[in-house]
Amino acid sequence: MKPESPFNALPPLVVALALVILGIEAVFQLANYGIIGGPRGVGWRVAAIEQFGFSPAVLDRVLVSDDYSFEMLRRFVTYTFIQVQLIQVAFCTALILALGKFTAEYYGSLKVLFLYLATSIAGAVVFGLIVDSRYPLVGAFTPVYGLIGAYTYALWLRLGEAGQNQIMAFRLIGFLLMIQLIFGLIFGGNSQWISELTGFFAGFFLSTILAPGGWASLVRRLRQRS
């Protein structure tokens, strides 16, 4: 009997998100080694960050100058597909595949795509409102944290149904924040954690509506506990 490929169990939309990130990084790596792009290829990553990355200046241009052009609005999402280093690519794609599989099974594939886009936008907006610098926001960690928020809410519901301690649902986000704090103390951090934490809370609260039964189910559970 031919063994079933593990990729068969992954929702196509989740695989597509991971492949876009991997494909873009593959282009950057090939350019860095001079295989494609020639001498100009070395600067493709920087050019992509300038053209597709997000910064507080983008939000200022949208809100202050009323620039709602596609070139500006796309940056609220496209920044998530540009990574700055290979380890970031590895972590993001692995987490997207793992968390995407679970959340797609619980919420549905289209809702996972909505969570990815919505938490990316929410993270960018809050980053633009709070951070006062031109430091660009890039990388898929913001929507990854959004998926962690959705995963946490689903686990919170399941633990509640099983009569177990629902605080345990927050172990993953707690662990990741601790690791991030340690890395920040050792290597120095930046303000991107604002976007990532916003992504988590946006994913968690959006899931109260997207989960089976939606908001009405949450209200019913809270009334039963009161």
Side-chain angles (χ1 to χ4, degrees), residues 171-183:
R171 285 184 300 178
L172 177 58
I173 184 63
F175 173 77
L176 290 174
L177 289 176
M178 181 182 68
I179 293 297
Q180 191 173 48
L181 176 62
I182 293 173
F183 271 82

Side-chain angles (χ1 to χ4, degrees), residues 29 45 51 60 70 115 120 134 139-140 145 156 164-165 173 177 179 183 185 188 190 195 199 201 203 208 211 215 218:
Q29 291 297 324
R45 189 190 303 271
Q51 189 173 359
D60 288 343
F70 177 71
L115 282 167
S120 299
R134 294 187 176 275
Y145 271 76
W156 183 79
Q164 300 180 25
N165 186 359
I173 184 63
L177 289 176
I179 293 297
F183 271 82
L185 292 174
N190 55 51
S195 174
F201 283 114
T208 63
W215 182 257
L218 175 63

Side-chain angles (χ1 to χ4, degrees), residues 86-99:
L86 278 174
I87 190 169
Q88 186 180 25
V89 176
F91 272 109
C92 287
T93 52
L95 287 171
I96 286 173
L97 291 173
L99 293 166

Side-chain angles (χ1 to χ4, degrees), residues 120-200:
S120 299
I121 295 170
V125 169
V126 174
F127 180 85
L129 289 173
I130 294 178
V131 177
D132 185 20
S133 74
R134 294 187 176 275
Y135 189 86
L137 175 64
V138 291
F141 275 122
T142 297
V144 163
Y145 271 76
L147 293 179
I148 292 173
Y151 166 83
T152 300
Y153 182 72
L155 186 58
W156 183 79
L157 289 179
R158 290 186 173 182
L159 289 173
E161 292 171 355
Q164 300 180 25
N165 186 359
Q166 291 177 288
I167 296 298
M168 301 297 290
F170 295 89
R171 285 184 300 178
L172 177 58
I173 184 63
F175 173 77
L176 290 174
L177 289 176
M178 181 182 68
I179 293 297
Q180 191 173 48
L181 176 62
I182 293 173
F183 271 82
L185 292 174
I186 296 175
F187 301 106
N190 55 51
S191 300
Q192 294 202 167
W193 65 268
I194 295 173
S195 174
E196 294 161 3
L197 197 58
T198 300
F200 171 80

